[in-house]
Amino acid sequence: MDYKDAIEYIDMNLKGGCNPGLNRIERLLELLGNPEKQIKAVHIAGTNGKGSVTAMLSSILREGGYKVGTYISPHLHSITERYLINGVSMEEDVFASYVSIIKGNINKMAESGEEIPSQFEALTALAFLYFKDMNIDIGVIEVGLGGRYDATNVLDSLISVITSISYDHMSVLGDTIERIAFEKAGIIKKGQKAILYPQSFTASEKVIEMICREQEAMLIKIDPKDVVQRDFGIKGQIMDYCFGDKSYRGIQLPLLGDHQLLNAAVAIRAAEELGKLGYHISEQHIKQGIKKVKWPGRLTVIASDPQIVIDGAHNEDGVKALAEALKKYFYDKDIIMVIGMLRDKNHRDSISMLAPMAKKLIATEPMSDRALSALDLAREAEEFCREVYAVPSIAQAINKAIDISEDNSIIVICGSLYLIGEAFEILNKILLQ
């Protein structure tokens, strides 16, 4: 099996979407020798910020000299980006060889009449087998969707982390913030320590507190008052984080947005707690890890002439964070916005927040069968922005934005992560010309 065969098998033979329950992945992992039981890991759930915290904590641990396996989803360019060893993606031929192993064991399940795993369950089992074989020191594992029934929740993790919780995937997780928080909190294990990002909703915090009491888990809350921004600019920001008798000052954070300050505090606190479990992580490791972190597609400045920013904001919290960051960092710029969204997301509210900030807006379409049409998106945007174009092709939309940009313009490409991944590839080709 080569890489092309592996991708074809995943796309054509395994069911996508959400299929709650852990029995399928538990059976597949049993056939694989239960590699998840041989991995020490930090488990991270949340609506927004879990990817950023995963990237920051992984970077800190690498600075500490540990061999770190990082599992993320979704990917921007290639599925191999989901599997990182010390920040390096899995090779395509290695991925193909592991898919072949996974396929053989899924076939055994099918032959015995068992329900076979979903795409994400198979990909998660692959991650655990790969990390076990690579003999990692620690894994930093991002939840795919929810927490309680997410395929990653077969782990007996060292620490659980819950980032910002808000409304998203309500058809699966529930239509109230309490239900969503309950699903996210499902990763918290008995007697464990759980670290909590400052919540926008008191109700979600109360649910997390209840689960921690039931699980006899120690809840560590990040206090926003302990985090101080010292400076900021388009290349990053400088922060202090002081709590208890600990004081981290002058931390250089290359990610933009006030929310990333709090995400950094979460990652630092997780590193501190790992230190209490025997991992040697110094202040220098923490500072260097935060300084070197990379998390593309989240308020990423990708070019300066013309100035281009990419952000994968696709739900209420993400869009709000993007809007606040644009006002803070680019208040003096004329924004040309290229935006594409999925029709099953709350695109109306997103457009109402973002479109008024744009001097010109180009509606486009993500590469997905769930994409909202450029024409429908443009019609919504016309209520909030005077100059709106509908350009279905992402490449043509980006070229249009560059053509109409002026000296004081900034191009902001935002919306679905499907859009962001393709935009990166298109821009890399344009910028290399």
Side-chain angles (χ1 to χ4, degrees):
M1 178 181 281
D2 61 17
Y3 180 68
K4 183 180 178 182
D5 293 333
I7 296 298
E8 185 175 313
Y9 169 73
I10 290 165
D11 287 343
M12 302 300 293
N13 297 85
L14 300 178
K15 183 180 177 182
C18 182
N19 189 8
L22 299 177
N23 57 305
R24 294 172 299 274
I25 188 171
E26 286 174 342
R27 175 58 178 146
L28 177 56
L29 288 167
E30 181 183 12
L31 291 170
L32 294 169
N34 289 117
E36 81 285 3
K37 297 186 185 301
Q38 301 173 58
I39 296 170
K40 295 178 180 178
V42 176
H43 202 186
I44 302 175
T47 306
N48 291 294
K50 60 183 184 292
S52 297
V53 173
T54 297
M56 290 183 207
L57 182 57
S58 296
S59 186
I60 291 169
L61 289 164
R62 290 200 302 273
E63 286 299 307
Y66 293 102
K67 189 173 187 178
V68 185
T70 307
Y71 180 51
I72 62 172
S73 63
H75 56 272
L76 288 180
H77 308 289
S78 166
I79 200 167
T80 58
E81 296 169 12
R82 298 185 181 212
Y83 311 92
L84 306 170
I85 301 290
N86 285 350
V88 179
S89 299
M90 183 189 284
E91 296 288 339
E92 289 185 354
D93 59 338
V94 175
F95 177 78
S97 68
Y98 274 92
V99 170
S100 183
I101 295 170
I102 298 296
K103 177 184 176 182
N105 285 279
I106 288 177
N107 286 344
K108 290 179 184 177
M109 293 174 66
E111 288 164 5
S112 63
E114 298 175 79
E115 184 183 6
I116 68 170
S118 67
Q119 276 186 17
F120 185 70
E121 289 164 349
L123 294 172
T124 300
L126 191 158
F128 296 151
L129 181 62
Y130 176 55
F131 291 161
K132 187 269 291 183
D133 289 349
M134 293 296 289
N135 196 29
I136 63 169
D137 296 314
I138 188 166
V140 184
I141 310 298
E142 179 186 349
V143 164
L145 173 63
R148 186 164 62 112
Y149 289 125
D150 187 77
T152 60
N153 205 28
V154 295
L155 284 170
D156 185 15
S157 53
L158 298 171
I159 295 171
S160 291
V161 175
I162 309 289
T163 62
S164 174
I165 297 174
S166 63
Y167 292 98
D168 202 9
H169 300 292
M170 290 182 287
S171 61
V172 177
L173 302 180
D175 58 0
T176 68
I177 203 68
E178 291 89 349
R179 289 178 180 176
I180 295 170
F182 178 76
E183 294 298 327
K184 306 286 185 187
I187 70 167
I188 298 171
K189 304 298 188 295
K190 193 83 171 175
Q192 191 183 60
K193 288 182 179 178
I195 299 168
L196 183 63
Y197 179 100
Q199 297 298 305
S200 300
F201 298 94
T202 302
S204 63
E205 188 169 322
K206 288 186 180 301
V207 170
I208 304 295
E209 290 171 345
M210 177 191 72
I211 298 295
C212 283
R213 285 194 298 270
E214 291 175 355
Q215 294 288 65
E216 298 177 345
M218 178 186 292
L219 181 60
I220 299 168
K221 298 180 185 179
I222 303 302
D223 189 339
K225 288 184 261 186
D226 294 338
V227 181
V228 177
Q229 184 185 64
R230 292 298 180 192
D231 197 8
F232 70 92
I234 63 169
K235 292 185 178 180
Q237 43 194 332
I238 298 173
M239 61 176 281
D240 295 342
Y241 178 39
C242 304
F243 59 95
D245 61 350
K246 296 288 184 177
S247 181
Y248 294 97
R249 298 186 183 277
I251 298 169
Q252 298 179 54
L253 173 62
L255 306 182
L256 307 185
D258 290 355
H259 60 293
Q260 295 292 12
L261 300 171
L262 297 174
N263 284 331
V266 171
I268 291 168
R269 201 60 179 270
E272 278 279 341
E273 293 306 318
L274 286 173
K276 296 174 184 177
L277 296 175
Y279 288 86
H280 176 66
I281 303 169
S282 69
E283 179 178 348
Q284 188 65 13
H285 296 149
I286 288 173
K287 285 189 170 182
Q288 285 299 308
I290 297 292
K291 182 179 180 179
K292 294 179 181 179
V293 70
K294 295 179 180 179
W295 190 228
R298 281 72 176 180
L299 270 173
T300 304
V301 180
I302 196 171
S304 56
D305 186 23
Q307 198 166 53
I308 302 174
V309 175
I310 292 183
D311 187 77
H314 58 279
N315 56 38
E316 184 179 346
D317 261 18
V319 169
K320 183 179 178 182
L322 171 59
E324 289 174 352
L326 291 176
K327 291 174 186 174
K328 183 169 184 173
Y329 290 88
F330 307 108
Y331 63 91
D332 58 344
K333 295 287 187 179
D334 294 328
I335 295 174
I336 300 173
M337 189 169 291
V338 178
I339 184 167
M341 304 198 74
L342 302 181
R343 63 177 179 271
D344 54 7
K345 294 288 184 179
N346 191 357
H347 45 82
R348 174 74 185 180
D349 285 354
S350 296
I351 285 295
S352 68
M353 273 193 276
L354 293 174
M357 305 179 71
K359 184 175 182 181
K360 304 172 185 178
L361 187 145
I362 302 168
T364 189
E365 296 174 14
M367 294 291 288
S368 170
D369 55 9
R370 295 157 53 205
L372 178 68
S373 76
L375 188 58
D376 286 343
L377 187 57
R379 285 171 179 156
E380 289 185 1
E382 284 171 349
E383 293 184 39
F384 307 99
C385 179
R386 289 185 178 181
E387 191 170 337
V388 177
Y389 306 87
V391 184
S393 162
I394 299 173
Q396 291 176 13
I398 291 173
N399 281 317
K400 173 75 173 177
I402 292 171
D403 288 344
I404 63 177
S405 65
E406 299 173 345
D407 289 344
N408 198 47
S409 298
I410 179 169
I411 297 170
V412 178
I413 304 171
C414 59
S416 166
L417 286 174
Y418 292 98
L419 172 78
I420 299 309
E422 187 171 357
F424 264 113
E425 294 180 11
I426 292 165
L427 284 166
N428 283 335
K429 291 175 184 176
I430 291 173
L431 297 173
L432 287 173
Q433 290 176 354

